[in-house]
C-alpha cells in the first residue's frame, strides 16, 4: 500500500500512444479528493470526432460530461486519450454518446453522471444525445451545459 494518490497510473506524465480504438483505451482514475461531498466535475470536448459507420466520413460533436464523484475521479489525460481513440472508430451518434457514458460509469461508479452529445449536422440535421444515470442529488448546483441549440453551433 502506498500513500501516493497517483500510484498505479500508467499514462500521466509518460509518453502514451493514442489507443487504436475505444475498446483499447484505458480510462484511469484517482481517489476523490473530497469524498462525501456532492460537487460537479465537468469535462467539455468541443472538437470530438469519430466516423460514420456507413460512409466512413468524419462526424463532429461537442461533448459535455457532468458527474458527481463517489470514490473516484477520472484522470484527465486518460479521458483525452479515450476521446482521441474515437477518431478512427465508426459508430452512430447515439451509440458513441452512450459508449462514452457507460465506460465512465463502469470505471467511476459516480453518484450521478450526465452526458450531452451535441452533434453537428449530417444531411442538414443535427442529432443531439442526452442521458443521465438518474436524478441529480438534491441541492446540487448544476450549471447549464452551455451549448447553444443548433444555429451553426456557435
Amino acid at each position: 500500500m502506498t500513500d501516493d494518490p497517483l500510484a498505479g497510473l500508467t499514462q500521466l506524465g509518460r509518453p502514451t500512444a493514442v489507443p487504436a480504438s475505444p475498446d483499447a483505451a484505458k480510462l484511469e482514475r484517482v481517489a476523490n479528493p473530497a469524498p462525501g461531498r456532492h460537487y460537479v466535475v465537468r469535462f467539455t470536448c468541443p472538437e470530438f470526432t469519430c466516423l460514420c459507420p456507413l460512409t466512413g466520413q468524419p462526424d463532429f460533436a461537442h461533448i459535455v460530461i457532468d458527474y458527481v464523484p463517489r470514490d473516484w475521479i477520472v484522470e484527465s489525460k486518460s479521458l483525452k486519450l479515450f476521446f482521441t481513440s474515437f477518431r478512427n472508430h465508426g459508430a452512430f451518434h447515439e451509440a458513441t454518446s452512450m459508449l462514452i457514458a457507460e465506460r465512465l460509469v463502469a470505471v467511476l461508479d459516480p453518484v450521478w453522471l450526465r452526458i450531452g452529445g451535441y452533434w453537428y449536422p449530417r444531411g442538414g440535421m443535427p442529432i443531439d444525445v442526452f442521458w443521465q444515470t438518474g436524478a441529480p442529488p438534491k441541492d446540487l448546483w448544476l450549471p447549464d451545459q452551455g451549448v447553444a441549440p443548433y444555429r451553426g453551433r456557435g
Side-chain angles (χ1 to χ4, degrees):
M1 194 73 168
T2 178
D3 290 332
D4 181 2
L6 305 180
L9 295 179
T10 63
Q11 300 170 102
L12 183 63
R14 297 173 177 86
T16 308
V18 172
S21 70
D23 288 341
K26 181 179 181 184
L27 279 170
E28 296 187 329
R29 63 190 188 181
V30 296
N32 179 358
R37 291 172 152 159
H38 287 163
Y39 64 96
V40 177
V41 177
R42 171 171 289 170
F43 284 98
T44 303
C45 184
E47 297 177 349
F48 182 88
T49 60
C50 65
L51 299 176
C52 172
L54 299 179
T55 66
Q57 294 295 310
D59 284 326
F60 302 91
H62 185 144
I63 304 289
V64 181
I65 297 163
D66 294 314
Y67 73 97
V68 175
R70 188 180 315 278
D71 297 324
W72 305 101
I73 58 173
V74 69
E75 191 284 308
S76 63
K77 180 178 180 181
S78 75
L79 182 63
K80 292 171 196 171
L81 288 166
F82 176 58
F83 284 162
T84 303
S85 74
F86 282 88
R87 287 189 177 164
N88 294 314
H89 178 74
F92 290 116
H93 302 354
E94 298 85 349
T96 298
S97 300
M98 290 305 300
L99 174 59
I100 293 168
E102 290 164 355
R103 283 284 301 275
L104 285 167
V105 168
V107 168
L108 301 176
D109 185 31
V111 171
W112 176 81
L113 180 139
R114 77 173 173 184
I115 185 168
Y118 301 86
W119 293 85
Y120 289 82
R122 290 194 116 250
M125 183 184 309
I127 299 172
D128 295 336
V129 181
F130 306 102
W131 181 78
Q132 63 185 26
T133 57
K138 291 182 192 273
D139 300 325
L140 182 71
W141 179 68
L142 191 57
D144 181 78
Q145 290 195 329
V147 180
Y150 186 71
R151 290 261 170 124
R153 285 277 192 246

